[in-house]
Amino acid sequence: MSIEVKQIILHQLYLAENTAEKTENQAENHTLTTRLRSQLLPVNDEIEQMMLQLHQNYQSKALAYGVFKGESQFARQLNRLMENELDFIAFSQQSAQNLAAELAKYVFADSGTFILCQYTFLATDYLFLALLDSRHSMLVDEELDIRHTSYLNIQQYDIAARLNLTELKLSAASNRYLSFIKGRVGRKISDFFMDFLGADSGFDPKQQNLTLLQAVDDFCQQGELSSKQIQEVKKQAFDYCKGQLKVGEEVVLEELSDTLPSLNQQNFSQFSQQQQYELADSFPPLSGALKSLTKYSGSGKGVTLSFDAALLNERIIWDEQSDSLMIKGLPANLRDQLQRFAKSDA
């Protein structure tokens, strides 16, 4: 796969000593300052390889989607950029300063390299923004001496967003032209980046996945299938979604429908439209949500259970009256633990 980098620039955000009295949200006794680059980076093989890695890593992360608010300053500046009223360097510098001002409000504010890149991938134009950490390591030079070195961490990052400029131009009413990474330290990462971009929540991939699960289940139930046939249909749906997830592609409703059998003279796509599930034509698959197509799982009161749905009424018997499960053929490692406990308790 090839990537065409059109424009790219880096700026730095760094913590500077602050002699004034610190505010409630200020990290330690530092303020966030910017060091701005005045020229675009020259595009070469190294730059395109870096952006390809960033693009691929971004595709593999858990993403949320948003839409610009009417008062979004970032959206106004972006529109000026797209109308050639503002050049990329000035746009990037203003964005870096606004990001620093927003990030400085939070206790997790830290130094980093702010990257902005406009690029094309598979005939789609993107604008990528990310705040990358630097990592420190050691290297052996040509004289076999050990030296310190620093490098950008392009494998692991949490503060990033991407605009699908092609979709934004074609349909400003879209609710998924803007995506960003869901933070791993609570909602504040997502909140601050949404504030920086001036955006509200938009397309909801999790809800789409949950709706898909319900639609597949209802599709099977109305088809009057046996338990085994239901599991086969759900396994087909899961295999398709898992395959799309593996190659970084979205679930396409028509493609999924083609992999499933028609029931009551209706295919899955026709059924979902008739029942008004409001499934999008395509959406990102989420591994955690899709597991319930082929597994039963639950936890509570100190017990966690997960097993393949095909085992129900085979090796695992549910007694609804007594609210109990009987397991035939325990996993070997669980049996060993129980046997050791029995010996120690004897």
Side-chain angles (χ1 to χ4, degrees), residues 56-72:
Q56 292 171 337
N57 290 338
Y58 186 83
Q59 293 281 92
S60 68
K61 293 180 180 291
L63 301 177
Y65 292 81
V67 294
F68 288 129
K69 299 176 184 178
E71 67 273 17
S72 170

Side-chain angles (χ1 to χ4, degrees), residues 67-90:
V67 294
F68 288 129
K69 299 176 184 178
E71 67 273 17
S72 170
Q73 180 181 353
F74 183 90
R76 288 197 295 270
Q77 297 296 76
L78 177 65
N79 186 63
R80 292 184 61 202
L81 174 69
M82 296 173 69
E83 295 294 330
N84 296 317
E85 298 175 3
L86 184 68
D87 66 43
F88 193 79
I89 296 173

Side-chain angles (χ1 to χ4, degrees), residues 13 25 32 69 74 95-112 114 129-133 157-161 178 180-200:
L13 279 62
N25 289 328
L32 205 57
K69 299 176 184 178
F74 183 90
S95 297
Q97 291 170 332
N98 292 339
L99 175 62
E102 189 63 42
L103 182 55
K105 299 175 184 178
Y106 295 83
V107 295
F108 54 74
D110 202 356
S111 301
F114 184 46
L129 311 90
L131 186 61
L132 304 178
D133 295 330
Y157 54 91
D158 291 320
I159 303 176
L178 168 63
F180 59 96
I181 296 175
K182 291 183 178 180
R184 286 188 280 176
V185 289
R187 294 192 63 237
K188 287 201 170 184
I189 290 286
S190 300
D191 288 349
F192 110 78
F193 217 61
M194 290 283 272
D195 290 340
F196 158 64
L197 295 168
D200 274 329

Side-chain angles (χ1 to χ4, degrees), residues 236-248:
Q236 289 174 313
F238 176 78
D239 288 344
Y240 167 78
C241 295
K242 184 180 178 181
Q244 296 299 97
L245 183 66
K246 187 175 181 180
V247 297

